[in-house]
Amino acid sequence: EDKVVQSPLSLVVHEGDTVTLNCSYEVTNFRSLLWYKQEKKAPTFLFMLTSSGIEKKSGRLSSILDKKELFSILNITATQTGDSAVYLCAVDPNRDDKIIFGKGTRLHILP
Amino acid sequence: NAGVMQNPRHLVRRRGQEARLRCSPMKGHSHVYWYRQLPEEGLKFMVYLQKENIIDESGMPKERFSAEFPKEGPSILRIQQVVRGDSAAYFCASSPTGYPTGELFFGEGSRLTVL
C-alpha cells in the first residue's frame, strides 16, 4: 500500500531557529513529491520535487529529494512566528491521479 | 481572480440528516478533487471529477457518499444519513489539467460537525 510518513508530528521551536521536517514514502510508482503549508485555511503549494539532489528554494524555505532513500526534507531557516502551520508532504504516484498525503508536521514558532 | 470557493464553510447536522458541500473550481479549471481531513490526520483522497464525469471514486465510502460535477454549476459532495464519524473538514481542490502538475489549488474547506 502506498504511504507517506512525516516526522516529527509536531515541533516547537523559538523564533530564529532552523527546522528540518522529514518525509519518507513508499509508492509503487513515483512521479513527484509535493510540500504544502496549511495554516487555518487551505493548504498552499510550496514545492514540487521530481529529481534527486536538486534543491528547491523559496526565501527561507528549501527542500530536497532523495529518490534512492525515498525521502525528502523541508528546511526553514531563521524561523518566524508566521511560519507556524501544518506542513504537509504528498506524493504523486503516477497512478489514477491520486496524490497521497502524509499526516503533516505541526510546527509552532515561539516568539 | 477568485480561487477555489467552497460553501458552506461550516455545517452542523444531526445524525441521519443530509449534508451537501459545494465547490466552485478556479476559473478555467475543469478538474476537481475532494479530500477529507480528520482531526490530526492528513488529507485523504475521496474522488476526482471532470465536468459531468467521475474519473476516480476509489476513496469514497461505498454507501451514503456521492459526488457530482455538472456541466453548469459547482461540484457537490453529498453525504446522506450522516453519522458522527463523518465529522471532518472536506477540502476541494482544482487543477487545469487532468494530471496534476502538483499545484492543486485548494479551497478553504467545509467543516462538517455531526451532532
Side-chain angles (χ1 to χ4, degrees), chain B residues 42-72:
Chain B
L43 291 168
K44 296 227 183 280
F45 170 81
M46 298 182 74
V47 62
Y48 160 40
L49 309 106
Q50 290 184 41
K51 283 284 187 182
E52 300 185 274
N53 289 305
I54 296 174
I55 306 302
D56 183 350
E57 56 180 348
S58 58
M60 290 270 275
K62 293 285 186 286
E63 297 176 349
R64 302 188 296 108
F65 285 71
S66 62
E68 63 176 12
F69 190 14
K71 187 177 180 181
E72 301 291 337

Side-chain angles (χ1 to χ4, degrees), chain B residues 82-103:
Chain B
V82 296
V83 300
R84 290 228 174 98
D86 297 332
S87 295
Y90 292 84
F91 285 92
C92 170
S94 72
S95 70
T97 63
Y99 282 87
T101 60
E103 196 165 4

Side-chain angles (χ1 to χ4, degrees), chain A residues 9-79:
Chain A
L9 290 181
S10 65
L11 185 59
V12 181
V13 299
H14 287 279
E15 204 169 19
D17 288 349
T18 293
V19 297
T20 298
L21 310 183
N22 303 294
C23 175
S24 63
Y25 61 91
E26 291 179 26
V27 294
T28 307
N29 296 298
F30 177 89
R31 174 158 57 196
S32 62
L33 185 142
L34 311 145
W35 284 97
Y36 291 85
K37 178 182 181 181
Q38 184 178 17
E39 296 171 89
K40 291 185 178 178
K41 298 178 180 178
T44 53
F45 175 81
L46 295 175
F47 298 112
M48 182 174 72
L49 303 156
T50 56
S51 301
S52 276
I54 299 175
E55 186 182 51
K56 294 245 177 145
K57 283 181 70 76
S58 176
R60 295 176 294 102
L61 277 67
S62 64
S63 184
I64 197 161
L65 173 67
D66 186 329
K67 289 169 74 173
K68 182 179 179 184
E69 299 298 329
L70 308 182
F71 78 90
S72 173
I73 59 171
L74 175 68
N75 275 323
I76 309 175
T77 60
T79 51

Side-chain angles (χ1 to χ4, degrees), chain A residues 31-32 34 36 38-45 48 86 88 92 94-104 106, chain B residues 9 33 35 37 40-45 48 55-56 58-59 91 98-104 106-109 111:
Chain A
R31 174 158 57 196
S32 62
L34 311 145
Y36 291 85
Q38 184 178 17
E39 296 171 89
K40 291 185 178 178
K41 298 178 180 178
T44 53
F45 175 81
M48 182 174 72
V86 175
L88 295 167
D92 179 356
N94 195 25
R95 172 181 58 83
D96 298 336
D97 301 316
K98 285 183 291 189
I99 293 179
I100 303 164
F101 285 83
K103 292 187 177 182
R106 188 175 298 274
Chain B
R9 293 288 308 281
Y33 308 78
Y35 290 84
Q37 186 174 39
E40 307 303 321
E41 297 268 336
L43 291 168
K44 296 227 183 280
F45 170 81
Y48 160 40
I55 306 302
D56 183 350
S58 58
F91 285 92
Y99 282 87
T101 60
E103 196 165 4
L104 291 179
F106 282 87
E108 295 187 349
R111 279 156 179 80

